[in-house]
Amino acid sequence: MTKPPMGLEELARHMSKLVAMSPVRLRLLQCLTEESPDSATLTELVESDSVIAARTLRVANSPFFGLAHEVVSISHAVSLVGQRSLQAMALAAAVMEQFKSSDPALHASHQAHWRHSVAVAVCSQALARKARLPPEAAFSAGLLSHLGQLVMLTIDPVRYDQVQELAFQPSATADVVNPSVPVAQRLLEAERTVWGFDHCEVGEQLARLWSLPAMLRRCMSLHHQCNDPQADAMVWLVHVSHALAHALDLLQEPHDQVPDIQVAAWDGLGLDWSDSSTLFSEIEARYQLACQQLMN
Amino acid sequence: MKPTAVGPVGFVPVEVHPPPACSASDPAVVLQRIDWLFRGTTETRPMQQLREMLLRYRLEKLR
């Protein structure tokens, strides 16, 4: 039986429980998303969280960075990989840690979400270099862009399944979102029908709850609305990266489908694609490494 | 609850068999997979450009 839409007030109640962090970890999260945090403060905060520190060091010592020397501490990692890279990796560790679940089915769904998000993150990082945007910030923006979906999936997996059925599998009795509508729009409309809101609105709520910087908030809320006046180059980048991740078949999902790229985003970025084959090859290699190192 | 894929990954009727992922060595299969991935996309310049780049990349890899 289909549940009535949830509404934003009920969402807020569920979210406040799901995404609540200790003050220390919240302070760490905010530091990790600052553009230029104080290095000593950053190091101290990461080191104070043993779980995040351990995951960050593991990534720093992995083939993802391919360093010649073993990284033995967070301050050592900052000197070898750079502060911005450390921020991006520690942020990934912190957010993944926040949504860990001991329920096997939920864990499997979370892993599927992270594979998708890591794919968008790796594409965002690679395209950022061509667009002359900060690549580590782009990585984080790509990684967090669809976090609203993870929140919805975690709060109510059954309702989340209803969205997928409504968007993609017509039946004789269900009201179906028009199948000729582009796939991303179909998903958003199905989310609004089932939940009363879409994952972009949830992403924006989450960004506000966690006091994330405006850049990340825009990418989480506007990555499907590239014509919005507040959409900027980083939003367009994440939008294009999302499509690229699917076009490259990184997820290897049998029924995968490429979402449309809005012309405003493509033209707004104005990227030079003359070396696209080299770019695609690098992305594929980086994606495999990133999944191995970031996801446990 | 069964695990579900996320992002715009669609469910399709069971009688439709998607082409294998893009690790195939047959150019015809590669083309089929790309057509499958790009199904339902609008015929805009960005989508045409992206599809052409992907196809070129995949066929280059087969050589």
Side-chain angles (χ1 to χ4, degrees), chain A residues 105 108-109 112-113 149 157 160-161 164 168 183 242 246-249 252-261 263 266-267 273 276-277 280-281 284, chain B residues 1-12 16 18 21-22 33 36-39 41-42 44-47 49-50 53-54 56-58 60-61:
Chain A
S109 294
H113 168 89
Q149 278 186 323
Y160 189 80
D161 283 349
Q164 302 290 313
F168 302 114
V183 64
H242 184 209
H246 289 277
L248 280 169
D249 215 359
Q252 301 272 291
E253 299 265 358
H255 298 293
D256 204 352
Q257 202 168 352
V258 182
D260 275 342
I261 294 173
V263 176
W266 187 264
D267 289 349
W273 293 96
S276 58
S277 292
F280 295 164
S281 182
E284 287 183 326
Chain B
M1 184 207 69
K2 65 181 189 316
T4 56
V6 294
V9 177
F11 286 89
V12 293
V16 177
C22 279
R33 177 66 183 174
W36 175 257
L37 289 171
F38 278 78
R39 70 192 184 284
T41 56
T42 51
T44 60
R45 178 176 31 88
M47 297 312 290
Q49 269 184 267
L50 182 61
M53 289 190 289
L54 258 303
R56 186 168 58 240
Y57 172 60
R58 292 288 176 221
E60 278 172 4
K61 277 183 87 170

Side-chain angles (χ1 to χ4, degrees), chain A residues 22-288:
Chain A
S22 68
V24 172
R25 187 167 280 182
L26 190 60
R27 177 71 191 100
L28 168 62
L29 182 74
Q30 287 160 359
C31 183
L32 292 173
T33 53
E34 286 174 23
E35 195 171 322
S36 300
D38 174 72
S39 182
T41 304
L42 172 68
T43 301
E44 187 186 324
L45 282 171
V46 176
E47 284 176 343
S48 72
D49 192 316
S50 59
V51 174
I52 306 307
R55 288 184 71 159
T56 304
L57 284 177
R58 196 183 80 198
V59 177
N61 279 309
S62 74
F64 189 71
F65 283 101
L67 298 172
H69 306 285
E70 187 189 358
V71 181
V72 298
S73 68
I74 296 301
S75 53
H76 194 201
V78 171
S79 67
L80 287 180
V81 306
Q83 182 162 299
R84 290 181 194 267
S85 289
L86 182 95
Q87 279 179 270
M89 293 304 110
L91 178 63
V95 178
M96 288 180 179
E97 190 64 29
Q98 181 66 22
F99 286 95
K100 269 176 82 166
S101 173
S102 55
D103 175 272
L106 198 55
H107 175 73
S109 294
H110 284 183
Q111 294 295 89
H113 168 89
W114 288 123
R115 281 195 293 276
H116 175 258
S117 292
V118 168
V120 177
V122 169
C123 290
S124 297
Q125 187 178 32
L127 291 185
R129 293 194 179 96
K130 296 177 81 53
R132 302 196 184 186
L133 292 171
E136 293 82 6
F139 183 95
S140 297
L143 189 77
L144 301 187
S145 59
H146 285 78
L147 211 52
Q149 278 186 323
L150 185 62
V151 169
M152 295 160 90
L153 159 65
T154 306
I155 285 174
D156 194 334
V158 171
R159 200 187 288 263
Y160 189 80
D161 283 349
Q162 286 173 355
V163 167
Q164 302 290 313
E165 288 174 21
L166 181 61
F168 302 114
Q169 191 158 36
S171 75
T173 52
D175 275 334
V176 175
V177 176
N178 188 343
S180 66
V181 168
V183 64
Q185 193 178 334
R186 249 189 286 149
L187 186 69
L188 291 169
E189 288 177 8
E191 286 177 344
R192 290 178 204 128
T193 299
V194 174
W195 290 83
F197 43 79
D198 61 43
H199 69 270
C200 300
E201 293 173 82
V202 178
E204 179 162 20
Q205 287 262 37
L206 180 59
R208 290 187 190 280
L209 271 174
W210 281 353
S211 301
L212 296 181
M215 183 277 283
L216 286 177
R217 194 167 68 239
R218 282 194 298 270
C219 290
M220 291 164 80
S221 65
L222 298 177
H223 58 271
H224 289 299
Q225 294 171 250
C226 296
N227 288 314
D228 188 283
Q230 291 190 56
D232 59 6
M234 194 63 89
V235 171
W236 299 333
L237 189 90
V238 168
H239 173 81
V240 172
S241 298
H242 184 209
L244 181 58
H246 289 277
L248 280 169
D249 215 359
L250 293 178
L251 306 176
Q252 301 272 291
E253 299 265 358
H255 298 293
D256 204 352
Q257 202 168 352
V258 182
D260 275 342
I261 294 173
Q262 293 173 19
V263 176
W266 187 264
D267 289 349
L269 285 175
L271 296 179
D272 173 10
W273 293 96
S274 56
D275 63 345
S276 58
S277 292
T278 305
L279 175 73
F280 295 164
S281 182
E282 285 171 7
I283 287 173
E284 287 183 326
R286 294 281 288 176
Y287 174 66
Q288 294 305 324

